[in-house]
Amino acid sequence: MIVRQLMCRGLTSHLCAAVRLNWSAPKMARPSSNLTEFCEDFAKAKHVAIITGAGVSAESGVPTFRGQGGYWRKWQAQDLATPEAFSRDPSLVWEFYHYRREVMRSKMPNPAHLAIAKCESRLSKQGRSVVIITQNIDELHHRAGSKHVYEIHGSLFKTRCMSCGEVKANHKSPICPALEGKGEPDPSAKDARIPVQHLPRCDGSGCNGLLRPHVVWFGETLDSDILTAVEQELEKCDLCLVVGTSSVVYPAAMFAPQVAGRGVPVAEFNMECTPATMRFKYHFEGPCGVTLPPALERHESEAI
């Protein structure tokens, strides 16, 4: 399957060729924005896949660090979110991620997150399933109450040991004493230059290895087990929602077009049209926190 070929965010030419093959299917007619019609499809669906991106979290005030103005100090995320940057300056990279972790403590799930979690809970009582496939690393879906979540890019609140490889949840604030009060985003702020031995360390028995954020950095491969599970979910879903994603970051950008290619209804909820919009049956424009909740409300035909 094409999904398995797109496990790297730093795409090479042969991977791009695979993407073009997937996108060569004929475009559909202009997507519908008829909510009543969508609700009829929603009421019939047994396995719903919801793909979410940065647009969902942005409505909670979460910085995206993408595009114009998306800087931390003088860097954009792609300058720091790489294995090379961490190897070169782990103190600077940890300052960046410590800042992001601390920012998230003041952010709350918004109506879109809550509507998805409520929908998942309701449909599970009817023998139906909802799976969330998210590109976001902020855990807001979990905090909203969602249970069936695949975080394809990892989580801000997990660490991975560079020595023993252990992945572990970590919600400490600060994550280590040396980072307390560090991470100021102002361009004039001085780098902390924390000695590597004082950065977050593994607490496994006899390890003490350097920890890194358990997120997928640019140029790294995505977790093959997660991608396999996601592929299985997409193959069985009979309704797909694409929420708050620009449809330009691979491999997630081709998940929904792949589903639409086999005739499954796909509904896009976004602030604007995307490169994939014309391939979907529905498009609902506007803030996800406004457009999504009424779409996921209980339909009159539902038993519960």
Side-chain angles (χ1 to χ4, degrees):
M1 295 295 292
I2 294 174
V3 170
R4 293 198 182 109
Q5 300 175 41
L6 292 171
M7 292 170 60
C8 181
R9 290 172 71 185
L11 295 176
T12 58
S13 58
H14 73 280
L15 291 182
C16 290
V19 173
R20 284 195 294 270
L21 285 173
N22 182 76
W23 284 68
S24 63
K27 294 183 180 181
M28 299 175 63
R30 186 171 182 83
S32 168
S33 58
N34 186 317
L35 184 59
T36 300
E37 183 181 352
F38 166 81
C39 288
E40 291 173 356
D41 279 334
F42 173 74
K44 293 182 292 186
K46 301 297 183 183
H47 303 287
V48 181
I50 303 179
I51 302 167
T52 70
V56 176
S57 294
E59 291 184 31
S60 290
V62 178
T64 63
F65 297 104
R66 295 186 66 85
Q68 186 175 5
Y71 284 83
W72 177 82
R73 295 184 185 168
K74 62 181 180 180
W75 293 278
Q76 287 190 303
Q78 53 265 42
D79 298 323
L80 299 176
T82 70
E84 295 78 15
F86 191 71
S87 177
R88 183 172 58 249
D89 195 342
S91 173
L92 181 65
V93 173
W94 260 121
E95 275 200 85
F96 174 55
Y97 280 93
H98 172 67
Y99 167 75
R100 296 179 71 179
R101 285 165 58 97
E102 294 302 303
V103 164
M104 282 311 305
R105 297 186 181 280
S106 67
K107 307 304 179 186
M108 299 297 293
N110 63 57
H113 295 108
L114 298 173
I116 291 171
K118 182 179 178 181
C119 173
E120 178 187 2
S121 176
R122 186 179 82 248
L123 265 59
S124 69
K125 298 173 183 176
Q126 303 172 16
R128 303 160 71 193
S129 67
V130 173
V131 60
I132 298 95
I133 302 163
T134 187
Q135 301 170 74
N136 301 332
I137 61 174
D138 50 42
E139 294 194 355
L140 285 177
H141 283 299
H142 290 292
R143 288 172 57 188
S146 290
K147 307 297 183 185
H148 198 183
V149 182
Y150 290 104
E151 297 167 317
I152 63 173
H153 292 162
S155 168
L156 278 173
F157 297 99
K158 290 181 181 177
T159 58
R160 183 163 79 247
C161 179
M162 299 289 288
S163 297
C164 71
E166 181 184 36
V167 175
K168 194 172 182 179
N170 188 315
H171 291 84
K172 294 179 182 177
S173 176
I175 190 170
C176 70
L179 279 166
E180 185 169 9
K182 303 298 190 296
E184 169 61 43
D186 191 283
S188 63
K190 292 184 178 180
D191 299 346
R193 302 295 181 190
I194 299 169
V196 67
Q197 63 268 26
H198 296 315
L199 292 172
R201 313 297 297 193
C202 181
D203 59 7
S205 179
C207 183
N208 199 42
L210 177 65
L211 297 179
R212 57 160 281 180
H214 184 56
V215 297
V216 179
W217 282 332
F218 291 94
E220 292 186 323
T221 56
L222 276 65
D223 187 301
S224 59
D225 291 337
I226 290 179
L227 280 185
T228 297
V230 165
E231 180 177 310
Q232 292 171 348
E233 295 287 353
L234 294 175
E235 286 176 347
K236 75 177 183 180
C237 80
D238 50 7
L239 178 67
C240 180
L241 280 63
V242 186
V243 185
T245 176
S246 61
S247 294
V248 296
V249 177
Y250 289 89
M254 48 75 61
F255 288 165
Q258 177 181 315
V259 171
R262 61 183 180 86
V264 173
V266 176
E268 182 179 55
F269 296 80
N270 205 13
M271 287 294 293
E272 57 192 5
C273 291
T274 73
T277 298
M278 294 303 293
R279 302 186 180 273
F280 302 148
K281 183 174 181 179
Y282 301 102
H283 174 79
F284 298 99
E285 194 160 311
C288 302
V290 174
T291 59
L292 191 62
L296 297 183
E297 283 289 340
R298 188 180 72 85
H299 190 270
E300 60 185 13
S301 66
E302 293 183 42
I304 297 177

